[in-house]
Structure formats: structure tokens, C-alpha cells
Amino acid sequence: MSIFRGRGTPTVTSHFIDGGWTDRSGPTFEVRNPFDDALVAEAAAGSTADMRAAIDAASAAFPAWADLAPGARQQLFLRAADIVDRRHEELVQLMALEGGASRAFSSFQIRLSSAMLRQAASWAYLPAGDVLRSDAPGRMAMVTRKPLGVVAGFTPWNGAFYLAWRTFLLPMAFGNTTVIKPSELAPLSAGLIHAEILQEAGFPPGSFNVVTNAPGDAPALADLFFDSPAVRCINFTGSDKTARILGERAGRALKRLVLELGGFNPVVILEDADIEESIRAVTFGAFLHQGQVCMNSRKVYVARAAHDEFVAGLSNRVRALKSGDPTDPDVVIGPLITDRAVEQIDERVRDAVDRGATLVTGGRFDGRVYEPTILAHVPADAICTTGSDETFGPLLVIEAFDDLDVALRDAQNTPYGLSASIMTADRARGWDIAERFDAGIVHVNAPTMASEAALPVGGVKDSGWGRSGHYAIEDFTEIRLMTVSSEPGRYPF
Ligand code: ADP
């Protein structure tokens, strides 16, 4: 029976270590539905002993997993992809009840997840190295790619199901074993459900381990990632605030750290853009999952000639989005994850309005469901428009521009550099503008959220470093130089 039993049937979960579930007798913490506070699960509050056991299991499983024939690894990933597809409806329910995800968002994640598993199946066959030319007579040189060892992962609560796969699947595809520590806010959809799927698919014991933790216990458990010699890399998806703490620890322990952090994600709409298409792209880009994804658009710069038509059309479309309980398949805007998240959005909306901004639509909330909100004429000193602190919710700022250079300068005046979009009928001009963006991802005529499993996602500047897709081979392997000489060497002494 699945650890997830559906609405009204809270479950007690345990850790997944060395291919099996631990006993359920230890301390637990509550996981509640962000929409109605119903109890979803009593999750195991992991101890340092649990985490140590998980790291030991991953370490013991590493040599065999690293040596597994590519065809065998491929089969496992393909089987897991089929299981994800088969469990689609149950996963939609889980993400709604635990994370407040609408059907649109959970289905988006499920499709991306099984697509990424199928991509990962092919990565098992990526070349294992290169043969290089050497200046030394009779010397053959080659570099071989080797997995690192154990990769530890922090999986987030927001795009929990897909982002968890992205956190551990990429290292596993390249021969590493993993231990993950899901967010306290979504331990089932950010890790435990993956353990069930991998167990059913037949992944070897220890190749994948999950330890869940109560709020407040994260630092002590994370310390083990840095202190354990077996853990060679930490893959973190979360806030830049926590990343800075982890970065200091990684520096002291000399551990490789891969970071996928927040973004500001501007959209620039030129006067020749298809306005209907821009409205659809911005509605999706800004309000998917209530604006709680790192790639959501936060600010739109629209050419003055197109401004009024765009704002009128966008606010009509946004007002028509149904809000409420995300288990209703028609609901697009579900709850924010915590009361604090609601307070933060509301504070920022009030701050902007107090400084003279125009509230185009939204600005109210019912429980944790905050209306999708659009602000215009926002003064430069309002918190939500400075671009220096990510506003993680359904709040979009729109600004008309007369001078594209000024708009582009403002759009880049942010420490983040994750995603950006340009909407224009002139693709060559769009391309030129894209080249000027300092961001890990720039789309012309697509939303800032235009994710695909095979395409690399990652940021520059304070949005982190590291890339998904097959480029992750750079993050999760190292190369070894090996030479074989068939002639005596020439030495200077
Ligand atoms: P968010 O605010 O989006 O939940 P955070 O960056 O605060 O993101 O947290 C992401 C992950 O980092 C969670 O798994 C949390 O347990 C962990 N975490 C938070 N603070 C610390 C810390 N001081 N040391 C180690 N891990 C932490």
C-alpha cells in the first residue's frame, strides 16, 4: 500500500534507507494541508543516527551502482518513468493536499518528471571520456569521467515532485548514489513518494535514501553532509539565504556545492509583440503555482504603445483564474504554503500601494489563498520592484517603457540571473536583446517558466550555479587523466 492514502487518511511515514523503510516508532512532526490545515502525514523526525545510516548505505552502494552496466541503469530509469505515468492521478492528489498545487501545476511536473527519467535513461550511454593527443613520443593520454561518490540533496517544497527528481536523478544518472533531505513542508512529494517509485522499479538498495526531518533539525542533519568524507557533493535547491549558510560550510569542508536558487525573471514586451500571446505567456509565467516557483515572472516591461491593451487583457485573464481548493480540477490559484508567505506578499503589496503604486487587480486574500495581484506605477523604492529580494508569490509588477535601454538596465538591476523573456514579432531583434541578458535562461516568445526536461536550467549570479539536463555531467562527475607511455621518457636531469 502506498504511503499516501488520499484525503482524510493521514499517514505515518518513515525514512527510506538501504532499500527499505525504517520502523515508525520514533518521533514525528506534522505535515498539514496548506489549504485547510488538515493533517496529511505524521512524518518521521530524523536524527543524526538516521542520517548517518543513510550516508553509510549510500556509500556502501556506490561501487556497484557506479559500475552498473549502462543498459541495466537505463532499464531502471525507464521503469520508474512508467510508474510515474501510471500513478498520475494519485500524484496529482498528493501534490494538491500536501503542497497546494493545482492540477495544471502537478500535471506539468509529472510530465516533466517522466520525461526527465526517460532522458536520464539515455545519459547512461554518454561517452565516458576522451582520448587526447600528447606531445610526448609514444604516449597515449585519455580522460575518463568518474562519478563523485555520494551526492546529498536538499529537495524543496514548491515544485516538490519534479524538483526532487532533478535533485537526485541527475547525480544518479551519472553513477553517484544519493541521500536526500526533503523540505519539512512537503516530505512526501519531495522524496518519500520517489522512494516508493524507485523501490518498485527495482533500484538497488542504498542507491537512493531519504531522511525526513522536523523543522529546526535541518542544520544538525546537514552538518553530516559536510562532515562525512563519503559525501562528495551537495545539491541544493532553495533560497539564497540558506545557500549562503551552506556555502560557508562547504568552503570549510571543501565540498562541491551545486545551487539552484531564486530569480527575478523579467519579461520585456516590445511594441510589435503578439499581445494575445504575451498575455497568455505572462499569465502562465507569473501565476503558475501562485508564483511560488523560482522561474515565475516577477516584472513585465511593456512598450508604452502596447501597454494599455496588454494591461487590460492581462487583468481580465488573471481575474478569470479560479482560486480555492486545488483538489478542484478547475482551480488554478491554490493556497500559499504558509501564513508567513501570505503575510510577506500582503506586506509587499501594501508597501507598494502606500508608496503610490496602482493596484490593477488582486490584493486580497481568503485564508492562505492570495488573489493573483498586478501592480502598476510602482515607485522604484518599493520592495517588490527592487529585484534584490525575491517576492515568492502571486504578485506581478508591470511597467511601461519608452526607452528599451533603460528598461533593460532596470531589468538587470538585480542580483539574480535565472530566467528572462522577450516577446516580439521580430525574432532577430529578440535574439539581439537576449544576448544582452545576464541570465542562465533567456526565451524569445515564451514564458520565463518554459521548462523542458532535456534543456538545461540554472542561473548565474545569486541564482546559483550548476545546470540540469545532460550538462549536469559537469557537476556530478570528475575527470581522471590517465596516460600510457610506450617509449622511454626524456628528462631534464
Ligand atoms: P524555503 O524558504 O524555500 O523553504 P530554505 O532555503 O529556507 O527554502 O530551505 C530549504 C532547505 O534548507 C530545507 O530543506 C531546510 O530544512 C534547509 N535549511 C534551512 N536552514 C538551514 C540551515 N541553517 N542549515 C541547513 N539546512 C537548512
Side-chain angles (χ1 to χ4, degrees), residues 154 157 181-184 213 218-219 222 236-239 242 245-246:
F154 291 72
W157 55 266
K181 192 205 89 48
S183 162
E184 303 81 349
N213 68 281
F236 177 78
T237 304
S239 67
T242 304
I245 298 170
L246 300 181

Side-chain angles (χ1 to χ4, degrees), residues 40-41 51 64 88 100 125 166 178 180 212 219 230 249 251 261 299 446 451 459 471 475 488:
V40 175
M51 188 57 91
H88 188 286
Y125 284 100
R166 207 179 67 188
T178 51
I180 64 162
T212 56
R249 289 290 279 115
L261 311 176
K299 189 163 178 180
S451 278
Y471 294 93
D475 299 318

Side-chain angles (χ1 to χ4, degrees), residues 5-22:
R5 313 232 168 99
R7 178 166 236 159
T9 318
T11 181
V12 182
T13 68
S14 58
H15 312 298
F16 185 76
I17 299 175
D18 205 15
W21 298 94
T22 57

